Amino acid sequence: MGLIYVNPEGVDGIPNPLKTAQDVRTTFKRMAMNDEETVALTAGGHTVGKTHGNGDASILGANPEGADVHEQGFGWMNPTRKGNAEDTVTSGLEGAWTTTPDKWNHTYFHLLLNHDWESKKSPAGAWLYEPINIKEEDKPFDAHIPGVRRNPIMTDADMGIKMDPEYRKIAERFHKDQKYFEDVFARAWFKLTHRDLGPKSRYLGADVPREDLIWQDPIPSVDYKLSDTEIESLKEKLLNSGLTRTELINTAWDSARTFRCSDYRGGANGSRIRLAPQKDWEGNEPKRLEKVLNTLAEIQAGLSTKVSIADLIVLGGSAAIEKAAHDAGVNIKVPFHAGRGDATAEMTDVESFEGLEPIHDGYRNWLKKDYAVNPEELLLDRTQLMGLTAPEMTVLIGGMRVLGTNQGGTKHGVLTDREGLLTNDFFVNLTDMKYSWKPSGENLYNIVDRKTGQTKWTATRVDLVLGSNSILRAYSEVYAQDDNREKFVKDFVKAWVKVMNADRYDLK
Ligand code: HEM
């Protein structure tokens, strides 16, 4: 039951097909499924198999998640009967949806639309629907007892398909045009089972469909290579473009931070930060973004070599970081791999990108609003989604603070008098015992000089957690060491490049 999308008996267990339809719509929208895909999947899925609730649910043992380890993921143990076959109780609903639940055919819509259904209770006491006027030969056979026919059933969600006006139109079309239903089902099933595989370039085998599908977030491939000299000259142009280092670094970070290792979506490749909806996200600071993108477009237009905007965005960040390290006394090259493409609006499923909006980013010391979850926990969530480790998170935050990358230019956690230089000052000052740390507001702290009582800096929970959590503090202390200034820069660059290349499957 934990795997079922919505309550099959009705919202909060109360039958109401229209309400349940709304719940189904919201749930499937989260999986980027539209109404047509939702109806196709549910109807196609329920064309086969059955529900299980033939017995007294109250005598069952703990559910699979709650059962003891020795149950090995099996739950709802039945202490009095054999518990499987005709005794099975899982959802508590009982019965098959179609006349032939072991065959892929089109009887689901026939039964749903051409019969009247009444609310009933299953043997386990769960709400379901049974037909009022069904011919004997339209009833499915019992799955286990030979020769016995049973009423088919519908869940409240199935009835939603019949009652909700939008779902109903789709169901009628599918009922009339079976080829169309099969095509929509096949595509929606493929989408459901392949969405979290990421872009098509990650697929293997001979069955990969040739067609590009919009939910794969297609990105055009590029056919250029850049020599080292060309890369160096591009970096010069970017640094002399009038854009500040922070503008370049923030734009590169923002374009890459959407990457999620959970489903391989987002990331800098495709430069979808230029497109709706990303260009308008508050977290992307639309004004600054527009300014940077306009300048990059001008640079691109003036070049004799081909370079994508996606590559220019990343290269801008690299150039600015190299300069910031150089000015802090460390010469380092930020490795850069050209080859990103620029997606177009036509290749972008705007609605499905809405779920990628950063509504918090501890790396840029920002929360879109106050949440019930602590800022440091939100930071961890982003960190794991981006596939970063705890030391990588630590070094990135410390570096980004001194580079002045906070959203809106706030000074929280900028624990340095040399903002803009890639120094280890954040860690030195965070761990320096000459300061004390005092709460000064919601998610705000003063870092106070113990001798003078003067507030030297301000910080958020995300800054202070790097000193308060024992493990993160251990990393912070490593980076605070005098003899680790260079290590800090090297580790920062390595973590930065990991973020920039997170979606470069061609490099892995
Ligand atoms: C609207 C959302 C859905 C709801 C509320 C729902 C509900 C249920 C319930 C209550 C059961 C019975 C579980 C049991 O008692 O063992 C079930 C079984 C099943 N569902 Fe769904 N379902 C939904 C969508 C889907 C989708 C999208 C698919 C596949 C594309 C699907 C495929 C199946 C299959 C094949 C079974 C039968 C399993 C068996 O025979 O043991 N369902 N569903």
Side-chain angles (χ1 to χ4, degrees), residues 428-449:
V428 172
N429 291 316
L430 184 74
T431 54
D432 193 329
M433 293 302 292
K434 79 172 179 238
Y435 301 113
S436 64
W437 311 270
K438 306 227 179 326
S440 64
E442 185 76 19
N443 187 27
L444 266 190
Y445 300 82
N446 288 333
I447 300 184
V448 180
D449 189 312

Side-chain angles (χ1 to χ4, degrees), residues 1 4-8 20 24 28 38 40-46 48-53 88-93 97 155 157-158 161 185 189 192:
M1 282 298 286
I4 290 177
Y5 313 82
V6 301
N7 190 330
T20 298
V24 169
F28 277 71
T38 306
L41 281 172
T42 309
H46 291 174
V48 292
K50 72 180 283 283
T51 60
H52 304 83
T88 315
V89 180
T90 48
S91 68
L93 285 76
W97 290 268
T155 70
D158 299 297
I161 292 180
F185 177 79
W189 177 260
L192 184 79

Side-chain angles (χ1 to χ4, degrees), residues 44 47 64 151 159 174 192 198 212 224 234 268 331 333 342 394 468:
T47 293
N151 259 346
M159 289 306 282
F174 284 162
L192 184 79
D212 274 334
Y224 61 80
L234 277 174
N331 282 325
K333 208 165 208 166
D342 290 331
T394 307
S468 74

Side-chain angles (χ1 to χ4, degrees), residues 307-321:
V307 188
S308 65
I309 293 291
D311 272 343
L312 282 179
I313 290 173
V314 172
L315 191 59
S318 313
I321 287 168

